[in-house]
mmCIF file of all heavy atoms in Angstrom:
data_model
loop_
_atom_site.group_PDB
_atom_site.id
_atom_site.type_symbol
_atom_site.label_atom_id
_atom_site.label_comp_id
_atom_site.label_asym_id
_atom_site.label_seq_id
_atom_site.Cartn_x
_atom_site.Cartn_y
_atom_site.Cartn_z
ATOM 1 N N LEU A 658 7.494 9.855 2.796
ATOM 2 C CA LEU A 658 6.902 11.084 3.324
ATOM 3 C C LEU A 658 7.549 12.273 2.641
ATOM 4 O O LEU A 658 8.754 12.349 2.508
ATOM 5 C CB LEU A 658 7.160 11.194 4.830
ATOM 6 C CG LEU A 658 6.757 12.560 5.400
ATOM 7 C CD1 LEU A 658 5.245 12.685 5.486
ATOM 8 C CD2 LEU A 658 7.392 12.813 6.736
ATOM 9 N N ASP A 659 6.755 13.202 2.194
ATOM 10 C CA ASP A 659 7.286 14.496 1.782
ATOM 11 C C ASP A 659 6.262 15.537 2.184
ATOM 12 O O ASP A 659 5.186 15.211 2.705
ATOM 13 C CB ASP A 659 7.633 14.531 0.295
ATOM 14 C CG ASP A 659 6.442 14.188 -0.582
ATOM 15 O OD1 ASP A 659 5.312 14.207 -0.071
ATOM 16 O OD2 ASP A 659 6.647 13.915 -1.772
ATOM 17 N N ALA A 660 6.581 16.794 1.934
ATOM 18 C CA ALA A 660 5.677 17.862 2.386
ATOM 19 C C ALA A 660 4.336 17.779 1.670
ATOM 20 O O ALA A 660 3.314 18.190 2.217
ATOM 21 C CB ALA A 660 6.339 19.216 2.153
ATOM 22 N N VAL A 661 4.322 17.222 0.450
ATOM 23 C CA VAL A 661 3.046 17.082 -0.263
ATOM 24 C C VAL A 661 2.111 16.219 0.571
ATOM 25 O O VAL A 661 0.974 16.599 0.868
ATOM 26 C CB VAL A 661 3.228 16.424 -1.654
ATOM 27 C CG1 VAL A 661 1.882 16.226 -2.325
ATOM 28 C CG2 VAL A 661 4.146 17.239 -2.529
ATOM 29 N N ARG A 662 2.608 15.033 0.961
ATOM 30 C CA ARG A 662 1.713 14.132 1.697
ATOM 31 C C ARG A 662 1.394 14.681 3.083
ATOM 32 O O ARG A 662 0.272 14.549 3.574
ATOM 33 C CB ARG A 662 2.298 12.719 1.806
ATOM 34 C CG ARG A 662 1.308 11.819 2.546
ATOM 35 C CD ARG A 662 1.485 10.363 2.329
ATOM 36 N NE ARG A 662 2.719 9.834 2.848
ATOM 37 C CZ ARG A 662 2.977 9.641 4.127
ATOM 38 N NH1 ARG A 662 2.095 9.992 5.063
ATOM 39 N NH2 ARG A 662 4.123 9.108 4.497
ATOM 40 N N ALA A 663 2.376 15.323 3.727
ATOM 41 C CA ALA A 663 2.144 15.835 5.072
ATOM 42 C C ALA A 663 0.955 16.805 5.060
ATOM 43 O O ALA A 663 0.022 16.684 5.863
ATOM 44 C CB ALA A 663 3.404 16.538 5.573
ATOM 45 N N ILE A 664 0.972 17.757 4.117
ATOM 46 C CA ILE A 664 -0.085 18.784 4.102
ATOM 47 C C ILE A 664 -1.392 18.188 3.573
ATOM 48 O O ILE A 664 -2.478 18.499 4.049
ATOM 49 C CB ILE A 664 0.381 20.018 3.299
ATOM 50 C CG1 ILE A 664 1.616 20.625 4.000
ATOM 51 C CG2 ILE A 664 -0.726 21.056 3.193
ATOM 52 C CD1 ILE A 664 2.248 21.818 3.312
ATOM 53 N N GLN A 665 -1.263 17.280 2.617
ATOM 54 C CA GLN A 665 -2.456 16.615 2.094
ATOM 55 C C GLN A 665 -3.140 15.787 3.182
ATOM 56 O O GLN A 665 -4.359 15.793 3.308
ATOM 57 C CB GLN A 665 -2.058 15.733 0.924
ATOM 58 C CG GLN A 665 -3.231 15.217 0.146
ATOM 59 C CD GLN A 665 -2.772 14.602 -1.155
ATOM 60 O OE1 GLN A 665 -2.282 15.302 -2.039
ATOM 61 N NE2 GLN A 665 -2.891 13.313 -1.259
ATOM 62 N N ASP A 666 -2.349 15.088 3.995
ATOM 63 C CA ASP A 666 -2.918 14.320 5.115
ATOM 64 C C ASP A 666 -3.737 15.234 6.015
ATOM 65 O O ASP A 666 -4.804 14.865 6.500
ATOM 66 C CB ASP A 666 -1.785 13.720 5.975
ATOM 67 C CG ASP A 666 -1.452 12.292 5.564
ATOM 68 O OD1 ASP A 666 -1.875 11.880 4.475
ATOM 69 O OD2 ASP A 666 -0.759 11.604 6.344
ATOM 70 N N ALA A 667 -3.195 16.449 6.247
ATOM 71 C CA ALA A 667 -3.879 17.394 7.130
ATOM 72 C C ALA A 667 -5.241 17.772 6.552
ATOM 73 O O ALA A 667 -6.234 17.868 7.269
ATOM 74 C CB ALA A 667 -3.028 18.648 7.321
ATOM 75 N N LEU A 668 -5.279 17.931 5.225
ATOM 76 C CA LEU A 668 -6.552 18.301 4.587
ATOM 77 C C LEU A 668 -7.505 17.110 4.570
ATOM 78 O O LEU A 668 -8.701 17.252 4.780
ATOM 79 C CB LEU A 668 -6.295 18.772 3.150
ATOM 80 C CG LEU A 668 -7.528 19.212 2.360
ATOM 81 C CD1 LEU A 668 -8.048 20.554 2.883
ATOM 82 C CD2 LEU A 668 -7.234 19.327 0.876
ATOM 83 N N TYR A 669 -6.939 15.925 4.334
ATOM 84 C CA TYR A 669 -7.770 14.749 4.112
ATOM 85 C C TYR A 669 -8.176 14.041 5.409
ATOM 86 O O TYR A 669 -8.899 13.059 5.358
ATOM 87 C CB TYR A 669 -7.042 13.735 3.200
ATOM 88 C CG TYR A 669 -7.015 14.126 1.730
ATOM 89 C CD1 TYR A 669 -7.051 15.466 1.338
ATOM 90 C CD2 TYR A 669 -6.946 13.169 0.736
ATOM 91 C CE1 TYR A 669 -7.018 15.825 0.004
ATOM 92 C CE2 TYR A 669 -6.918 13.521 -0.617
ATOM 93 C CZ TYR A 669 -6.956 14.852 -0.971
ATOM 94 O OH TYR A 669 -6.926 15.208 -2.308
ATOM 95 N N CYS A 670 -7.696 14.508 6.559
ATOM 96 C CA CYS A 670 -7.959 13.723 7.779
ATOM 97 C C CYS A 670 -9.384 13.899 8.304
ATOM 98 O O CYS A 670 -9.737 13.379 9.344
ATOM 99 C CB CYS A 670 -6.939 14.039 8.874
ATOM 100 S SG CYS A 670 -7.191 15.628 9.673
ATOM 101 N N GLY A 671 -10.192 14.629 7.563
ATOM 102 C CA GLY A 671 -11.610 14.685 7.932
ATOM 103 C C GLY A 671 -12.029 16.035 8.462
ATOM 104 O O GLY A 671 -13.195 16.398 8.404
#
Side-chain angles (χ1 to χ4, degrees):
L658 171 74
D659 57 15
V661 177
R662 182 160 66 74
I664 298 177
Q665 191 168 293
D666 265 15
L668 181 72
Y669 284 28
C670 75

